[in-house]
């Protein structure tokens, strides 16, 4: 877990970085929107829960949080959710119904505190309207991204993610070549179905984001990207034609374990 930082007067990032051995880091971001009814978007990794709660408290008095918005039920998005739930007993939890049903298999959710959303549905967090949409790239069927109309920003869930060489606070601080390779690699590994996709339909989904034209993309897996949306979209358009990702195999694991052994063993 890294130090939180503010991007817009109303949006703070709770950043973490999962190391990918030999490759770099995967940013894992949660966000706080200081709306009239403050919103927490996602809850980081479980391995970070104590630090996550500390970081969250440094941004907002937990009693003020009115919404916990979950983009989907993957472990890197709901890691500290149960702890947050305990500490924020009055917030409404906005998520897709299927995510709620799946999370209920771990421990029961307070059903009367849930707000179920499908793409196209909105919640009103005081002076902010957050509209759910299906992002062009996702790794989980329960995924919803969120568009904040007032701020004209997009919380894009796993879409627009990248494996990056080192933690930074802006996508544009990543060297150009590293961003190109890191975003293509992430999209290909996280959503292998992109290599089977109808490219015309995929491009239409990307065009929807271009027309929306958010001034900042807040991806769960990229430092905030202010402006230059065309560049990000162009990178994703090329993913279906990129070489499919192949995960490290047993041989790679054995090599890694060998390197981890203390000298002399
Ligand atoms: Fe995911
Ligand atoms: Fe994720």
């Amino acid at each position: 877990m890294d130090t939180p930082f503010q991007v817009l007067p109303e949006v703070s990032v709770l950043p973490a970085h999962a190391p990918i051995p030999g490759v770099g880091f995967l940013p894992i971001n949660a966000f706080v929107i200081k709306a009239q009814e403050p919103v927490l978007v996602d809850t980081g990794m479980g391995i970070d829960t104590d630090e996550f709660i500390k970081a969250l408290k440094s941004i907002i008095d937990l009693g003020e949080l009115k919404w916990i918005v979950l983009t989907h039920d993957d472990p890197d998005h709901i890691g500290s959710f149960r702890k947050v739930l305990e500490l924020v007993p009055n917030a409404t939890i906005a998520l897709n119904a299927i995510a709620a049903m799946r999370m209920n298999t771990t421990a029961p959710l307070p059903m009367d505190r849930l707000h179920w959303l499908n793409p196209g549905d909105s919640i009103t967090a005081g002076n902010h309207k957050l509209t759910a949409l299906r992002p062009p790239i996702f790794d989980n069927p329960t995924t919803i991204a969120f568009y904040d109309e007032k701020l004209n920003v997009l919380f894009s869930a796993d879409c627009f993610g990248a494996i990056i060489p080192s933690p930074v606070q802006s996508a544009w601080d990543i060297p150009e070549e590293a961003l190109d390779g890191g975003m293509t690699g992430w999209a290909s590994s996280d959503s292998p179905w992109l290599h089977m996709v109808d490219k015309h339909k995929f491009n239409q989904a990307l065009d929807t984001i271009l027309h929306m034209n958010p001034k900042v993309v807040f991806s769960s897996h990229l430092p905030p990207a202010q402006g230059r949306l065309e560049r990000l979209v162009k990178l994703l358009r090329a993913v279906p034609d990129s070489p499919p990702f192949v995960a490290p195999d047993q041989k790679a694991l054995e090599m890694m374990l060998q390197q981890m052994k203390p000298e002399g063993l």
Side-chain angles (χ1 to χ4, degrees), residues 26-28 71-72 74 76-77 139 157-158 186 190 220-221:
L26 178 68
I28 296 179
T71 60
H72 58 302
D74 279 353
D76 51 326
H77 298 257
D139 67 0
D158 290 346
W186 166 253
D190 192 54
S220 304
H221 300 306

Side-chain angles (χ1 to χ4, degrees), residues 51-66:
E51 280 183 78
F52 183 87
I53 298 296
K54 209 167 136 193
L56 181 58
K57 283 180 176 169
S58 76
I59 294 173
I60 192 160
D61 180 343
L62 296 192
E64 287 178 30
L65 274 177
K66 291 285 179 288

Side-chain angles (χ1 to χ4, degrees), residues 99-227:
M101 286 172 198
R102 289 159 40 135
M103 289 167 73
N104 258 330
T105 63
T106 305
L109 288 174
M111 298 301 278
D112 56 343
R113 287 178 59 192
L114 304 187
H115 187 116
W116 286 356
L117 291 163
N118 281 317
D121 295 338
S122 299
I123 56 169
T124 304
N127 53 345
H128 288 238
K129 183 179 170 192
L130 295 178
T131 301
L133 61 125
R134 174 158 292 147
I137 296 180
F138 51 90
D139 67 0
N140 173 318
T142 73
T143 301
I144 37 180
F146 289 89
Y147 177 65
D148 183 323
E149 207 171 272
K150 180 167 185 280
L151 298 176
N152 183 25
V153 301
L154 177 68
F155 296 90
S156 66
D158 290 346
C159 188
F160 295 110
I163 294 162
I164 63 175
S166 57
V168 287
Q169 294 192 350
S170 162
W172 310 125
D173 291 340
I174 303 165
E176 204 162 317
E177 235 175 76
L179 178 63
D180 293 4
M183 187 168 283
T184 307
W186 166 253
S188 179
S189 62
D190 192 54
S191 304
W193 53 265
L194 282 170
H195 297 288
M196 302 183 279
V197 81
D198 176 330
K199 280 188 259 180
H200 178 66
K201 286 186 182 165
F202 177 53
N203 282 326
Q204 279 180 333
L206 289 169
D207 288 341
T208 306
I209 304 295
L210 269 185
H211 293 146
M212 189 180 283
N213 198 21
K215 70 175 181 193
V216 187
V217 172
F218 290 106
S219 169
S220 304
H221 300 306
L222 184 74
Q226 205 151 359

